[in-house]
């Protein structure tokens, strides 16, 4: 029986030392020292020993049982430590790993150009004001000295929402809203969306203008020319020239269209300027006294200039965009480039 006890003990020891996890260890515990264990079986056989050997063997059995319990505790600690280390390893942070790049959007080219235009005019002392996209005929036409039979009022150009309510066709509406509220001196720009029923490579039903209005005593056409010259050089570079062609707008007198020398060929003629050497930028002029009178500003005392530039055209020229519709198609591959 002594030999059998030794054998059981050795087997228990080697199996416990090789146990890989806690459940396995619990199984071994019940196998060797539990109620139905091998040691208990030996305990029951004690009565078959000669009387004088019984206490001695009982002691040995107890010692073996305690030792096995001890081995189990040791192994249990080892297993827990290994599991803990593995856990730490799997949760470890490698601070040398490159971070995951967060996908962030970028500003639309129109927004970028608008912000640049605003910054330039703010640096020249202008305030930035806004007006509504949905307007009435008074602000879009009447107050801008545009008679009822003017072709621009035609349904084919203007999006009417109701009898007298429309989507503004120009940011010039904000001139009126500003002069309704404030007496001169006035020095504002107003960027925003405009709407007209047209759609091709150089026209979009929704487009953008920046309006400017300066009213004070003694304002003249030279002031207008100077401010536009300064703006154009700040926006496109020192080499760019401006030129003014006589034109007609109902709300300015005299009126002009402003061109800049081509930003690509500097006036020699290329595909961008269609060989002319010039690019159209917008309309300008001296505020018509009729407009002042309608808004109760004294035309004998005050003069003013106004202009409206096409922001989409500026963006197209600046970023070499061949078709205006690309600006509004929302193609991510296009928009990501800015
Ligand atoms: N509103 C005009 C247009 O849409 C542009 C314009 C011309 C604005 C002359 C002005 C101006 O302020 O004085 O074509």
């Amino acid at each position: 029986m002594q030999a059998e006890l030794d054998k059981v003990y050795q087997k228990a020891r080697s199996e416990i030392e090789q146990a890989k996890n806690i459940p396995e260890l619990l199984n071994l515990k019940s196998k060797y020292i539990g109620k139905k264990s091998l040691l208990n079986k030996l305990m029951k056989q004690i009565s078959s020993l000669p009387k004088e050997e019984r206490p001695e063997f009982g002691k040995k059995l107890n010692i073996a049982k305690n030792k096995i319990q001890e081995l189990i505790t040791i192994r249990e600690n080892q297993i827990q430590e290994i599991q803990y280390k593995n856990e730490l390893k799997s949760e470890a942070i490698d601070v040398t790993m490159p971070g995951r790049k967060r996908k962030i959007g970028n500003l639309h080219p129109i927004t970028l150009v608008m912000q640049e235009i605003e910054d330039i005019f703010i640096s020249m002392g202008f305030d930035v004001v806004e007006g509504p996209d949905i307007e009435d005929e008074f602000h879009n036409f009447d107050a801008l000295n545009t008679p009822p039979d003017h072709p621009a009022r035609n349904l084919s150009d203007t999006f009417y929402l109701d009898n007298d309510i429309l989507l503004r066709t120009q940011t010039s509406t904000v001139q009126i809203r500003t002069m309704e509220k404030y007496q001169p001196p006035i020095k504002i720009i107003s960027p925003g969306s405009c709407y007209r029923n047209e759609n091709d490579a150089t026209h979009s039903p929704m487009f953008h203008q920046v309006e400017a209005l300066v009213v004070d005593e003694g304002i003249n056409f030279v002031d207008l020319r100077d401010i536009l010259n300064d703006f154009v050089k700040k926006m496109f570079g020192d080499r760019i020239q401006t030129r003014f062609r006589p034109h007609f707008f109902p709300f300015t007198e005299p009126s002009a269209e402003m061109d800049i020398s081509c930003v690509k060929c500097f006036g020699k003629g290329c595909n961008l300027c269609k060989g002319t050497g010039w690019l159209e930028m917008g309309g300008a002029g001296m505020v018509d006294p009729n407009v002042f009178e309608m808004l109760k500003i004294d035309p004998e005392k005050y003069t003013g200039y106004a202009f409206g530039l096409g922001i989409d055209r500026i963006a197209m020229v600046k970023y070499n965009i061949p078709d205006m519709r690309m600006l509004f198609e929302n193609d991510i591959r296009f928009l990501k480039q800015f």
Side-chain angles (χ1 to χ4, degrees), residues 106-128:
N106 53 288
L107 294 176
H108 192 279
I110 293 292
T111 310
L112 288 173
V113 168
M114 244 188 210
Q115 287 179 348
E116 200 178 337
I117 293 172
E118 283 180 24
D119 286 346
I120 292 173
F121 280 110
I122 287 169
S123 79
M124 300 196 288
F126 285 75
D127 280 333
V128 181

Side-chain angles (χ1 to χ4, degrees), residues 275-288:
T276 63
W278 295 94
L279 300 167
E280 255 183 61
M281 278 293 122
M286 300 306 293
V287 179
D288 194 302

Side-chain angles (χ1 to χ4, degrees), residues 18-81:
Q18 281 166 35
K20 288 191 193 63
N21 50 46
I22 303 293
E24 222 174 273
L25 210 51
L26 288 176
N27 280 340
L28 291 175
K29 186 173 177 173
S30 75
K31 178 176 173 186
Y32 287 104
I33 56 176
K35 265 195 184 141
K36 291 177 182 164
S37 67
L38 294 172
L39 282 199
N40 255 9
K41 230 163 86 193
L42 286 175
M43 191 74 92
K44 279 177 192 146
Q45 290 168 11
I46 260 185
S47 52
S48 65
L49 285 175
K51 221 175 176 186
E52 61 283 4
E53 287 178 24
R54 287 179 200 170
E56 185 66 15
F57 189 68
K59 236 192 220 165
K60 283 186 176 161
L61 267 177
N62 267 334
I63 291 173
K65 192 177 172 184
N66 288 342
K67 273 193 174 165
I68 289 174
Q69 178 58 57
E70 211 174 291
L71 287 172
I72 288 172
T73 308
I74 290 172
R75 187 59 190 156
E76 191 179 348
N77 287 340
Q78 285 174 345
I79 288 173
Q80 273 168 352
E81 184 150 338

Side-chain angles (χ1 to χ4, degrees), residues 169-170 172 175 196 209 211-212 249 251-252 283-285 306-308:
T169 61
Q170 50 188 348
S172 302
Q175 287 187 32
R196 281 181 210 174
Q209 287 184 339
E211 191 78 14
F249 294 104
F251 39 92
T252 42
F307 57 84

